[in-house]
Amino acid sequence: MESNSPTSCEDYAADISSIRQAQVRIEPFVHKTPVLTSETLNSIAGRKLYFKCECFQKGGAFKFRGACNAIYSLADNQAEKGVVTHSSGNHAAALALAAKLRGIPAYIVIPKNAPKCKVENVKRYGGQVIWSEPSMESRENTANKVLQDTGAVLIHPYNDGRIISGQGTISLEFLEQASEIDTLIVPISGGGLISGVALAAKAINPAIRILAAEPMGADDAFQSKINGRITKLSEVNTIADGLRAFLGDLTWPIVRDLVDDVIVVDDKEIIQAMRLCYEILKIAVEPSGAIGLAAVLSDGFQQNPAYSECNHIGIVISGGNVDLGVIWNSLEK
């Protein structure tokens, strides 16, 4: 562990106190999403699985929690000029919706390769779309220009304490709905979701195991954990469009210290998990949302003796905004 590792939860960008405050702040606006189980999937996995269905959250993904907390944390004089972000989809839509509820403008920088269904969500919620090139550099530069032009407040998709705290409310609900959970499997990308989930879950139950699920074509978190520092990839290639970002300086220390392991799966495993969600759970799940099930069914999990005592596993189904054209084409290959 690096010498500058935090020594207590107060050193992180969020903690259980800020997460509980977020829960009170956003409770009037968010859905308390259901937890589903399936004896069929339990049999396939050889474990008891609990699915936290954030695909039923407003905006179709968990992102609304963090966006709502960030928007309603702003003082009136901060909020009046609106908010700006850059996002490939779910955070963009979530921020647009939260801004609409508060009655303020939302300027959303979206890369040109974002899924059409997610862009349509942004427009539906009244967000002002500004296009960028697909690179992170272009997204950030475009967002900075919008900031200068509008005076709006930047709400980063994941590297923001308010966002992390909002996402952490998932754990507060989940562990209340299924208190027997001994392991949580959470998608990882920029780290906002798993950071909030880990902070809250470890505060409630220090013995709980937190596992990240990551695509093989975007395994920067896996490599970062091995290297002991943020490791960025020269390119990413995965069907899981919501998992292509890199860890930030606020999320990395939490991932480094509180995430017990990263399970890497390939796109074929993700697609198969999506099919199982459709066929057995009867829910529409995007690739990023299905990766937790893919991880628990993978050989890397099933054959690893370190996970033999993971008997009650909570899986965060992070979103359900599926670009059906892409998925059907993938299934037919």
Side-chain angles (χ1 to χ4, degrees):
M1 190 174 293
E2 298 174 359
S3 61
N4 62 344
S5 299
T7 57
S8 69
C9 65
E10 287 77 14
D11 296 308
Y12 296 128
D15 58 21
I16 188 63
S17 175
S18 67
I19 293 169
R20 293 195 187 282
Q21 290 169 13
Q23 185 178 44
V24 173
R25 186 177 292 117
I26 70 178
E27 187 176 17
F29 309 104
V30 303
H31 293 318
K32 184 175 183 178
T33 53
V35 173
L36 299 184
T37 60
S38 164
E39 290 302 323
T40 299
L41 290 177
N42 290 347
S43 177
I44 294 171
R47 313 288 208 285
K48 179 77 172 178
L49 306 181
Y50 307 81
F51 297 91
K52 181 62 168 165
C53 296
E54 286 295 293
C55 50
F56 298 137
Q57 188 54 261
K58 289 181 181 178
F62 75 95
K63 291 282 191 178
F64 183 67
R65 294 174 182 268
C68 194
N69 187 51
I71 289 284
Y72 281 93
S73 295
L74 297 175
D76 289 342
N77 63 334
Q78 292 177 298
E80 61 184 6
K81 292 185 178 180
V83 292
V84 62
T85 196
H86 56 85
S87 167
S88 62
N90 283 337
H91 174 72
L95 197 72
L97 176 56
K100 180 180 180 180
L101 292 175
R102 186 157 180 185
I104 62 175
Y107 306 97
I108 313 295
V109 175
I110 300 180
K112 293 177 181 177
N113 64 343
K116 182 179 178 181
C117 64
K118 296 184 179 181
V119 177
E120 291 304 314
N121 280 345
V122 174
K123 294 178 179 178
R124 185 179 302 117
Y125 299 138
Q128 299 183 41
V129 174
I130 301 102
W131 295 104
S132 76
E133 296 303 319
S135 71
M136 185 60 68
E137 181 181 10
S138 176
R139 285 168 50 162
E140 291 176 345
N141 289 341
T142 305
N144 285 334
K145 185 177 186 307
V146 175
L147 280 174
Q148 293 171 7
D149 292 344
T150 63
V153 177
L154 177 67
I155 307 293
H156 194 277
Y158 53 86
N159 203 46
D160 185 306
R162 300 163 297 188
I163 294 292
I164 294 170
S165 294
Q167 320 307 22
T169 62
I170 290 173
S171 282
L172 301 185
E173 289 182 11
F174 205 176
L175 295 181
E176 181 183 77
Q177 292 165 307
S179 59
E180 59 269 49
I181 286 173
D182 55 47
T183 305
L184 285 170
I185 300 184
V186 187
I188 191 167
S189 181
L193 171 60
I194 199 167
S195 292
V197 166
L199 283 165
K202 294 276 190 179
I204 295 168
N205 175 13
I208 200 167
R209 188 174 303 203
I210 308 294
L211 303 177
E214 187 170 46
M216 187 175 295
D219 67 343
D220 61 290
F222 176 78
Q223 295 191 34
S224 296
K225 290 280 280 185
I226 290 174
N227 296 334
R229 57 179 173 78
I230 295 177
T231 302
K232 296 185 178 181
L233 309 178
S234 58
E235 62 177 349
V236 295
N237 182 20
T238 175
I239 191 174
D241 61 275
L243 302 181
R244 296 171 181 163
F246 300 139
L247 295 167
D249 63 339
L250 299 183
T251 58
W252 162 240
I254 305 170
V255 171
R256 179 193 62 205
D257 298 346
L258 300 185
V259 173
D260 296 290
D261 205 355
V262 181
I263 301 169
V264 177
V265 297
D266 62 34
D267 279 7
K268 288 184 179 179
E269 292 173 298
I270 294 172
I271 292 167
Q272 178 59 24
M274 290 179 67
R275 291 193 66 159
L276 291 173
C277 288
Y278 277 103
E279 294 171 356
I280 298 175
L281 289 180
K282 312 302 182 187
I283 58 175
V285 179
E286 64 188 87
S288 305
I291 196 171
L293 177 58
V296 81
L297 297 180
S298 69
D299 289 344
F301 182 87
Q302 291 287 326
Q303 298 176 12
N304 190 333
Y307 305 137
S308 61
E309 295 182 0
C310 299
N311 296 315
H312 296 269
I313 301 175
I315 296 173
V316 178
I317 302 289
S318 56
N321 293 315
V322 186
D323 190 331
L324 292 176
V326 173
I327 299 308
W328 300 148
N329 290 339
S330 298
L331 294 174
E332 290 170 359
K333 288 182 179 178

